[in-house]
Amino acid sequence: MRFSIFSGATKPRAVTLQDVLPAGLLNMFTLGASTTLYGPSLVYIAGETGQPIANLGILFVFHWAGFFASTFTANRLAQKLEMRRGAMLGVLLIAFGVLGLITLPFPLNVAMAFLIGLGNGNSEVLFNRLVEMVAGDKPAEALTRLHSTWGIGAIAIPLVVAGAVLFGWNWRVAGIFVIVSALLDVYLISRWSEFQVPHGDDVHWRALPWKSISLFIALFAIYVGVETAVGAWATTFFAELGQGAILGSIATSVFFLTFSFGRMLFASVTDRLGFG
């Protein structure tokens, strides 16, 4: 499928996968880094605030509540702003949320995780949709490429936290790292020319084929639960064992390394074997 890019007085041309993929790859890197930021930082946030670590689990509640809320906002953003400005807004929500997380006093900083999750969800929906639209007859291959850098961000951010602590800096350095990544992504998106895509009609919840998709909903609930449980609490687990938060951060990074390896290993066979 081809869409027209309009750039002032120049002649319209078709938007291609190469136009949007660089920003998409950096976007997924930012999503992976911002989602994984909480776990390696949790021990240090607890030390600064005097809160039990268990109480700080509300960070993940706020984040995933924001992510879920994006299912109601992503298409509306695209309809009102179109894909370019909608994608930019999603990434800016992440940057603003992380800025609040590292600068605001407790508990306001914890609540900012909602914006990070909302930005994550909006970004993922819009980039998934756009890349699939321009991918032609190989959507699975294009989406696999798009998501390939999510794991890199998730691998990198625990190591950034550990490195900051080893050098005597604050865990907030990792937050700055995420903000810089987000702003670079906004810059890449801003270089797109304006273009329009078909948005279709709004989907009504009652009209969805719930019997067909219920299994996939359950699988995704388990998948996200396992990912969040291990990625979010591995650092705390090692710290509570007396092994130290730095070792826990490294273990978190290794977890997402194996996670990414599994994605690359199994996702590549989709086009060969078929979705069924």
Side-chain angles (χ1 to χ4, degrees), residues 103-122:
T103 60
L104 292 177
F106 180 84
L108 292 177
N109 61 337
V110 172
M112 295 299 284
F114 180 86
L115 288 184
I116 302 173
L118 184 65
N120 268 260
N122 278 294

Side-chain angles (χ1 to χ4, degrees), residues 202-249:
D202 287 336
V203 175
H204 298 285
W205 291 96
R206 292 182 179 179
L208 290 174
W210 290 106
K211 290 184 179 180
S212 301
I213 66 176
S214 57
L215 175 61
F216 291 97
I217 292 173
L219 287 172
F220 270 105
I222 295 169
Y223 160 76
V224 173
V226 172
E227 175 190 331
T228 302
V230 178
W233 296 106
T235 301
T236 299
F237 175 74
F238 278 88
E240 293 292 325
L241 286 179
Q243 301 297 319
I246 292 177
L247 180 60
S249 295

Side-chain angles (χ1 to χ4, degrees), residues 36 39-41 44 154-166 230-231 233-236 238-239 243-258:
T36 315
S41 307
Y44 307 109
I155 293 165
I157 205 67
L159 299 180
V160 174
V161 174
V165 174
L166 284 172
V230 178
W233 296 106
T235 301
T236 299
F238 278 88
Q243 301 297 319
I246 292 177
L247 180 60
S249 295
I250 295 172
T252 304
S253 181
V254 171
F255 165 69
F256 281 107
L257 176 63
T258 60

Side-chain angles (χ1 to χ4, degrees), residues 148-201:
S148 63
T149 50
W150 194 101
I152 298 175
I155 293 165
I157 205 67
L159 299 180
V160 174
V161 174
V165 174
L166 284 172
F167 280 103
W169 302 331
N170 193 280
W171 67 272
R172 288 175 175 82
V173 169
I176 297 172
F177 179 88
V178 175
I179 292 171
V180 170
S181 177
L183 294 179
L184 285 174
D185 193 37
V186 170
Y187 170 73
L188 289 180
I189 299 170
S190 71
R191 291 175 60 85
W192 298 351
S193 298
E194 293 289 350
F195 63 95
Q196 295 179 335
V197 300
H199 297 292
D201 299 324

